[in-house]
Coordinates of all heavy atoms in Angstrom, one line a residue:
M262 N 0.8 -1.2 0.0 CA 0.0 0.0 0.0 C 0.9 1.2 0.0 O 1.8 1.3 0.8 CB -0.9 0.0 1.3 CG -1.8 1.2 1.3 SD -2.8 1.5 2.8 CE -3.1 -0.1 3.5
P263 N 0.6 2.2 -0.9 CA 1.4 3.4 -0.9 C 1.2 4.3 0.3 O 0.1 4.3 0.9 CB 1.0 4.2 -2.2 CG -0.4 3.6 -2.4 CD -0.4 2.3 -1.9
Q264 N 2.3 5.0 0.7 CA 2.2 5.9 1.9 C 1.4 7.2 1.5 O 1.5 7.7 0.4 CB 3.6 6.3 2.3 CG 4.0 5.5 3.5 CD 5.3 6.1 4.1 OE1 6.1 6.7 3.4 NE2 5.5 5.8 5.3
I265 N 0.7 7.7 2.5 CA 0.0 9.0 2.3 C 0.9 10.1 2.8 O 1.4 10.0 3.9 CB -1.3 9.0 3.1 CG1 -2.3 7.9 2.7 CG2 -2.0 10.3 3.0 CD1 -3.5 7.7 3.5
P266 N 1.1 11.1 1.9 CA 2.1 12.1 2.3 C 1.5 13.0 3.4 O 0.3 13.2 3.5 CB 2.3 12.9 1.1 CG 1.0 12.7 0.3 CD 0.6 11.3 0.6
G267 N 2.3 13.5 4.3 CA 1.9 14.4 5.4 C 2.0 15.8 4.9 O 2.3 16.1 3.8
I268 N 1.7 16.8 5.9 CA 1.9 18.2 5.5 C 2.7 18.9 6.6 O 2.9 18.4 7.7 CB 0.5 18.9 5.4 CG1 -0.1 19.2 6.7 CG2 -0.4 18.1 4.6 CD1 -1.2 20.2 6.6
N269 N 3.3 20.0 6.3 CA 4.1 20.8 7.1 C 3.3 21.3 8.3 O 2.1 21.6 8.1 CB 4.7 22.0 6.4 CG 5.7 22.7 7.1 OD1 5.6 23.0 8.3 ND2 6.7 23.2 6.5
H270 N 3.8 21.3 9.5 CA 3.1 21.7 10.7 C 2.6 23.2 10.6 O 1.6 23.6 11.1 CB 3.8 21.5 12.0 CG 5.0 22.4 12.3 ND1 6.2 22.2 11.7 CD2 5.1 23.5 13.0 CE1 7.0 23.1 12.1 NE2 6.3 23.9 12.9
L271 N 3.4 24.0 9.9 CA 3.0 25.4 9.8 C 1.8 25.6 8.9 O 1.0 26.5 9.1 CB 4.2 26.2 9.3 CG 5.4 26.3 10.2 CD1 6.6 27.1 9.5 CD2 5.0 26.9 11.5
D272 N 1.7 24.8 7.9 CA 0.5 24.8 7.0 C -0.7 24.3 7.8 O -1.8 24.9 7.6 CB 0.7 23.9 5.8 CG 1.8 24.4 4.8 OD1 2.1 25.6 4.9 OD2 2.4 23.6 4.1
A273 N -0.5 23.4 8.6 CA -1.7 22.9 9.5 C -2.1 24.0 10.4 O -3.3 24.3 10.6 CB -1.3 21.7 10.3
V274 N -1.2 24.7 11.0 CA -1.5 25.9 11.9 C -2.3 26.9 11.1 O -3.3 27.4 11.6 CB -0.2 26.4 12.6 CG1 -0.5 27.8 13.3 CG2 0.3 25.4 13.5
Q275 N -1.8 27.3 9.9 CA -2.5 28.3 9.1 C -4.0 27.8 8.8 O -4.9 28.6 8.9 CB -1.8 28.6 7.9 CG -0.6 29.4 8.1 CD 0.2 29.7 6.7 OE1 -0.1 29.0 5.7 NE2 1.0 30.7 6.8
A276 N -4.1 26.6 8.5 CA -5.5 26.0 8.2 C -6.4 26.1 9.4 O -7.6 26.5 9.3 CB -5.4 24.6 7.7
F277 N -5.9 25.8 10.6 CA -6.7 25.8 11.8 C -7.0 27.3 12.2 O -8.1 27.6 12.7 CB -6.0 25.1 12.9 CG -6.1 23.6 12.8 CD1 -5.0 22.8 12.7 CD2 -7.4 22.9 12.7 CE1 -5.1 21.4 12.5 CE2 -7.5 21.6 12.5 CZ -6.3 20.8 12.5
Q278 N -6.1 28.2 11.9 CA -6.3 29.6 12.1 C -7.5 30.1 11.3 O -8.3 30.9 11.7 CB -5.1 30.4 11.9 CG -4.1 30.3 13.1 CD -2.8 31.1 12.8 OE1 -2.4 31.3 11.7 NE2 -2.2 31.4 13.9
K279 N -7.5 29.7 10.0 CA -8.6 30.1 9.1 C -9.9 29.5 9.6 O -11.0 30.0 9.3 CB -8.3 29.6 7.7 CG -7.3 30.4 7.0 CD -7.1 29.9 5.6 CE -6.0 30.7 4.9 NZ -5.8 30.2 3.5
A280 N -9.9 28.4 10.3 CA -11.1 27.7 10.9 C -11.5 28.4 12.2 O -12.5 27.9 12.8 CB -10.9 26.2 11.0
G281 N -10.8 29.4 12.7 CA -11.2 30.1 13.9 C -10.4 29.7 15.1 O -10.7 30.2 16.2
F282 N -9.3 29.0 15.0 CA -8.5 28.6 16.2 C -7.4 29.7 16.3 O -6.9 30.2 15.3 CB -7.9 27.2 16.0 CG -8.9 26.1 16.3 CD1 -9.8 25.7 15.3 CD2 -9.0 25.5 17.5 CE1 -10.7 24.8 15.5 CE2 -9.9 24.5 17.7 CZ -10.8 24.1 16.7
E283 N -6.9 29.9 17.5 CA -5.7 30.7 17.8 C -4.7 30.0 18.6 O -5.0 29.1 19.4 CB -6.2 32.0 18.4 CG -6.8 31.9 19.8 CD -7.2 33.2 20.4 OE1 -7.6 34.1 19.6 OE2 -7.3 33.3 21.6
I284 N -3.5 30.4 18.4 CA -2.4 29.8 19.2 C -2.4 30.3 20.6 O -2.4 31.5 20.8 CB -1.0 30.1 18.5 CG1 -1.0 29.5 17.1 CG2 0.1 29.5 19.3 CD1 0.3 29.9 16.3
K285 N -2.3 29.3 21.5 CA -2.3 29.7 23.0 C -0.9 29.5 23.5 O -0.5 30.2 24.4 CB -3.3 28.9 23.8 CG -4.7 29.3 23.6 CD -4.9 30.7 24.2 CE -6.3 31.2 24.0 NZ -6.4 32.5 24.4
R286 N -0.2 28.4 23.1 CA 1.1 28.1 23.7 C 1.9 27.3 22.6 O 1.3 26.6 21.8 CB 0.9 27.3 24.9 CG 2.1 27.0 25.7 CD 1.8 26.3 27.0 NE 0.9 25.1 26.7 CZ 0.3 24.5 27.6 NH1 0.4 24.8 28.9 NH2 -0.4 23.4 27.3
Q287 N 3.2 27.5 22.7 CA 4.1 26.8 21.7 C 5.3 26.2 22.5 O 5.7 26.8 23.5 CB 4.7 27.7 20.7 CG 3.6 28.2 19.7 CD 4.2 29.0 18.6 OE1 5.3 28.8 18.2 NE2 3.5 30.0 18.1
G288 N 5.7 25.1 22.1 CA 6.8 24.4 22.7 C 7.2 23.2 21.8 O 7.4 23.4 20.6
K289 N 7.2 22.0 22.3 CA 7.4 20.8 21.4 C 6.2 20.6 20.6 O 6.2 20.0 19.6 CB 7.7 19.6 22.2 CG 9.1 19.6 22.8 CD 9.4 18.3 23.5 CE 10.8 18.3 24.1 NZ 11.2 17.1 24.7
H290 N 5.0 21.1 21.1 CA 3.7 21.0 20.4 C 3.1 22.4 20.4 O 3.5 23.2 21.2 CB 2.8 20.0 21.1 CG 3.2 18.6 21.1 ND1 4.2 18.2 22.0 CD2 2.9 17.6 20.3 CE1 4.4 16.9 21.7 NE2 3.6 16.5 20.7
I291 N 2.2 22.6 19.5 CA 1.5 23.9 19.4 C 0.1 23.6 19.9 O -0.6 22.8 19.4 CB 1.4 24.4 17.9 CG1 2.9 24.6 17.4 CG2 0.6 25.7 17.8 CD1 3.0 24.9 15.9
I292 N -0.3 24.4 20.9 CA -1.6 24.3 21.5 C -2.5 25.4 20.9 O -2.2 26.6 21.0 CB -1.6 24.4 23.0 CG1 -0.5 23.5 23.6 CG2 -3.0 24.2 23.6 CD1 -0.8 22.0 23.4
M293 N -3.7 25.0 20.3 CA -4.6 26.0 19.7 C -6.0 25.8 20.3 O -6.3 24.7 20.7 CB -4.6 25.8 18.2 CG -3.3 26.0 17.5 SD -3.4 25.9 15.7 CE -4.1 27.5 15.4
T294 N -6.7 26.9 20.4 CA -8.1 26.8 20.9 C -9.0 27.8 20.2 O -8.5 28.8 19.6 CB -8.1 27.1 22.4 OG1 -9.5 26.9 22.9 CG2 -7.7 28.5 22.8
D295 N -10.3 27.5 20.2 CA -11.3 28.4 19.6 C -12.2 28.9 20.7 O -13.2 29.5 20.5 CB -12.1 27.7 18.5 CG -13.0 26.6 19.0 OD1 -12.8 26.2 20.2 OD2 -13.8 26.1 18.2
G296 N -11.8 28.7 22.0 CA -12.6 29.1 23.1 C -13.4 28.0 23.7 O -13.7 28.0 24.9
V297 N -13.6 27.0 23.0 CA -14.4 25.8 23.4 C -13.6 24.5 23.3 O -13.4 23.8 24.3 CB -15.7 25.6 22.6 CG1 -16.5 24.4 23.1 CG2 -16.6 26.9 22.7
R298 N -13.0 24.3 22.2 CA -12.2 23.1 21.9 C -10.7 23.4 21.9 O -10.3 24.5 21.6 CB -12.6 22.5 20.6 CG -14.0 22.2 20.5 CD -14.4 21.9 19.1 NE -14.4 23.1 18.3 CZ -14.8 23.2 17.0 NH1 -15.3 22.1 16.4 NH2 -14.7 24.3 16.4
I299 N -9.9 22.5 22.4 CA -8.4 22.6 22.4 C -7.8 21.5 21.6 O -8.2 20.4 21.7 CB -7.9 22.5 23.9 CG1 -8.5 23.6 24.7 CG2 -6.4 22.5 23.9 CD1 -8.2 23.5 26.2
I300 N -6.9 21.9 20.7 CA -6.2 20.9 19.9 C -4.7 21.0 20.1 O -4.2 22.1 20.4 CB -6.5 21.0 18.4 CG1 -6.2 22.4 17.8 CG2 -7.9 20.6 18.1 CD1 -6.4 22.5 16.3
T301 N -4.0 19.9 19.9 CA -2.5 19.9 20.0 C -1.9 19.5 18.7 O -2.2 18.4 18.2 CB -2.1 18.9 21.2 OG1 -2.8 19.3 22.4 CG2 -0.6 18.9 21.4
I302 N -1.1 20.3 18.2 CA -0.4 20.0 16.9 C 1.0 19.7 17.1 O 1.7 20.6 17.7 CB -0.6 21.1 15.9 CG1 -2.1 21.4 15.7 CG2 0.1 20.8 14.6 CD1 -2.4 22.7 14.9
P303 N 1.5 18.5 16.7 CA 3.0 18.3 16.9 C 3.8 19.1 16.0 O 3.4 19.5 14.9 CB 3.1 16.8 16.6 CG 1.9 16.5 15.7 CD 0.8 17.4 16.1
R304 N 5.0 19.4 16.3 CA 6.0 20.1 15.5 C 6.8 19.2 14.6 O 8.0 19.4 14.5 CB 6.9 21.0 16.3 CG 6.2 22.2 16.8 CD 7.3 23.1 17.5 NE 6.7 24.3 18.0 CZ 6.9 25.5 17.5 NH1 7.7 25.6 16.5 NH2 6.3 26.5 18.0
H305 N 6.2 18.2 14.1 CA 6.9 17.3 13.2 C 6.8 17.8 11.8 O 5.8 18.4 11.4 CB 6.3 15.9 13.2 CG 6.3 15.2 14.6 ND1 5.5 14.3 14.9 CD2 7.1 15.5 15.7 CE1 5.7 13.9 16.2 NE2 6.6 14.6 16.7
N306 N 7.8 17.5 11.0 CA 7.8 17.9 9.6 C 8.1 16.6 8.8 O 9.2 16.1 8.9 CB 8.7 19.0 9.2 CG 8.1 20.3 9.4 OD1 6.9 20.5 9.3 ND2 8.9 21.3 9.7
P307 N 7.2 16.1 8.1 CA 5.8 16.5 8.0 C 5.0 15.8 9.1 O 5.4 14.8 9.7 CB 5.4 15.9 6.6 CG 6.2 14.7 6.4 CD 7.5 15.1 7.1
I308 N 3.8 16.3 9.3 CA 2.8 15.7 10.2 C 2.2 14.5 9.5 O 1.8 14.7 8.4 CB 1.7 16.7 10.7 CG1 2.3 17.8 11.5 CG2 0.7 15.9 11.5 CD1 1.3 18.9 11.8
N309 N 2.2 13.4 10.1 CA 1.6 12.2 9.5 C 0.1 12.5 9.2 O -0.6 13.1 9.9 CB 1.7 11.0 10.5 CG 1.2 9.7 9.9 OD1 0.3 9.6 9.1 ND2 1.9 8.6 10.4
A310 N -0.3 12.0 8.0 CA -1.7 12.3 7.5 C -2.7 11.7 8.5 O -3.8 12.2 8.7 CB -1.9 11.7 6.1
Y311 N -2.4 10.5 9.1 CA -3.3 9.9 10.0 C -3.4 10.7 11.3 O -4.5 10.8 11.9 CB -2.9 8.5 10.3 CG -3.0 7.6 9.1 CD1 -1.9 7.1 8.4 CD2 -4.3 7.3 8.5 CE1 -2.0 6.3 7.3 CE2 -4.4 6.5 7.4 CZ -3.2 6.0 6.8 OH -3.4 5.2 5.7
T312 N -2.4 11.3 11.8 CA -2.4 12.1 12.9 C -3.2 13.3 12.7 O -4.1 13.7 13.5 CB -0.9 12.5 13.3 OG1 -0.1 11.4 13.5 CG2 -0.9 13.4 14.6
L313 N -3.0 14.0 11.6 CA -3.8 15.2 11.2 C -5.3 14.8 11.1 O -6.1 15.6 11.5 CB -3.2 15.8 10.0 CG -3.7 17.2 9.7 CD1 -3.4 18.2 10.8 CD2 -3.1 17.7 8.4
G314 N -5.5 13.7 10.5 CA -6.9 13.2 10.4 C -7.6 13.0 11.7 O -8.8 13.4 11.9
G315 N -6.9 12.5 12.7 CA -7.4 12.3 14.0 C -7.7 13.7 14.7 O -8.7 13.8 15.4
I316 N -6.8 14.7 14.5 CA -7.1 16.0 15.0 C -8.4 16.6 14.4 O -9.2 17.2 15.1 CB -5.9 16.9 14.8 CG1 -4.7 16.4 15.6 CG2 -6.2 18.4 15.2 CD1 -3.3 17.1 15.2
V317 N -8.5 16.5 13.1 CA -9.7 17.0 12.4 C -10.9 16.3 12.9 O -12.0 16.9 13.2 CB -9.5 16.9 10.9 CG1 -10.8 17.2 10.2 CG2 -8.4 17.8 10.5
R318 N -10.9 15.0 13.1 CA -12.1 14.2 13.6 C -12.4 14.6 15.0 O -13.6 14.7 15.4 CB -11.8 12.7 13.5 CG -12.3 12.1 12.3 CD -12.4 10.5 12.5 NE -11.2 10.0 13.2 CZ -10.1 9.6 12.6 NH1 -9.9 9.6 11.3 NH2 -9.1 9.0 13.4
K319 N -11.4 14.9 15.8 CA -11.6 15.3 17.2 C -12.5 16.6 17.3 O -13.3 16.7 18.2 CB -10.3 15.5 17.9 CG -10.4 16.0 19.3 CD -9.0 16.2 20.0 CE -9.2 16.8 21.3 NZ -7.9 17.2 21.9
I320 N -12.2 17.5 16.4 CA -13.0 18.8 16.5 C -14.2 18.8 15.6 O -14.8 19.9 15.5 CB -12.0 20.0 16.2 CG1 -11.4 19.9 14.8 CG2 -11.0 20.1 17.3 CD1 -10.7 21.1 14.4
N321 N -14.5 17.7 14.9 CA -15.6 17.6 14.0 C -15.6 18.7 12.9 O -16.6 19.3 12.7 CB -16.9 17.7 14.8 CG -17.1 16.5 15.7 OD1 -16.7 15.4 15.4 ND2 -17.7 16.8 16.8
L322 N -14.5 18.9 12.3 CA -14.3 19.9 11.3 C -14.8 19.4 10.0 O -14.3 18.3 9.6 CB -12.8 20.4 11.2 CG -12.5 21.6 10.4 CD1 -13.2 22.8 10.9 CD2 -11.0 21.8 10.3
E323 N -15.7 20.0 9.3 CA -16.2 19.6 8.0 C -15.2 20.0 6.9 O -14.6 21.0 7.0 CB -17.6 20.1 7.8 CG -18.6 19.7 8.8 CD -18.9 18.2 8.6 OE1 -18.9 17.7 7.5 OE2 -19.1 17.5 9.7
P324 N -15.1 19.2 5.9 CA -14.3 19.5 4.8 C -14.9 20.7 4.0 O -16.1 20.9 4.0 CB -14.2 18.3 3.9 CG -15.4 17.5 4.3 CD -15.7 17.8 5.7
Y325 N -14.0 21.5 3.4 CA -14.5 22.7 2.7 C -15.1 22.3 1.4 O -14.5 21.5 0.6 CB -13.3 23.6 2.4 CG -13.6 24.8 1.5 CD1 -14.4 25.8 2.0 CD2 -13.2 24.9 0.2 CE1 -14.7 26.9 1.2 CE2 -13.5 25.9 -0.6 CZ -14.3 27.0 -0.1 OH -14.6 28.0 -0.9
T326 N -16.3 22.7 1.1 CA -17.0 22.5 -0.1 C -17.6 23.8 -0.6 O -18.5 24.3 -0.1 CB -18.2 21.5 0.0 OG1 -19.0 21.9 1.1 CG2 -17.7 20.1 0.4
P327 N -16.9 24.4 -1.6 CA -17.3 25.7 -2.1 C -18.7 25.8 -2.8 O -19.3 26.8 -2.8 CB -16.2 26.1 -3.1 CG -15.6 24.8 -3.5 CD -15.8 23.9 -2.4
F328 N -19.1 24.7 -3.3 CA -20.4 24.6 -4.0 C -21.4 23.8 -3.4 O -22.2 23.1 -4.0 CB -20.2 24.2 -5.5 CG -19.2 25.0 -6.2 CD1 -17.9 24.5 -6.5 CD2 -19.5 26.3 -6.6 CE1 -17.0 25.3 -7.2 CE2 -18.6 27.1 -7.2 CZ -17.3 26.6 -7.5
A329 N -21.4 23.8 -2.0 CA -22.4 22.9 -1.3 C -23.8 23.5 -1.5 O -24.0 24.7 -1.4 CB -22.0 22.9 0.2
C330 N -24.7 22.6 -1.7 CA -26.1 23.0 -1.8 C -26.8 23.0 -0.4 O -26.6 22.1 0.4 CB -26.9 22.1 -2.7 SG -26.2 22.0 -4.4
A331 N -27.6 24.0 -0.2 CA -28.3 24.1 1.1 C -29.6 23.4 1.1 O -30.2 23.1 0.2 CB -28.4 25.6 1.5

């Protein structure tokens, strides 16, 4: 089975900032919150796709669909 490529941790931080999260603390991991939910992003390059998928599932973030019908 082919490996799924990961993404840079800074790109992940930017994506979560666009989703309404802000950085609260940085160290070995980046802690972000939107006031209700807290996520932890590792500073690995690249972040494993499965790890990032788990973070997205944890906060119930829906995928972007520009032409979604209401």
Side-chain angles (χ1 to χ4, degrees):
M262 179 185 335
Q264 262 192 331
I265 299 173
I268 77 164
N269 188 321
H270 73 277
L271 296 176
D272 293 337
V274 168
Q275 284 181 344
F277 286 120
Q278 284 177 333
K279 287 182 181 180
F282 285 82
E283 61 182 28
I284 297 173
K285 284 296 179 184
R286 187 174 50 191
Q287 295 186 30
K289 289 185 179 181
H290 295 80
I291 299 171
I292 310 298
M293 300 183 79
T294 184
D295 66 349
V297 178
R298 301 170 290 187
I299 298 172
I300 57 174
T301 304
I302 301 172
R304 284 188 179 249
H305 301 157
N306 272 333
I308 297 175
N309 187 325
Y311 294 110
T312 302
L313 193 57
I316 294 169
V317 170
R318 264 195 322 270
K319 176 182 173 186
I320 61 172
N321 295 323
L322 190 64
E323 295 294 322
Y325 175 71
T326 54
F328 303 108
C330 299

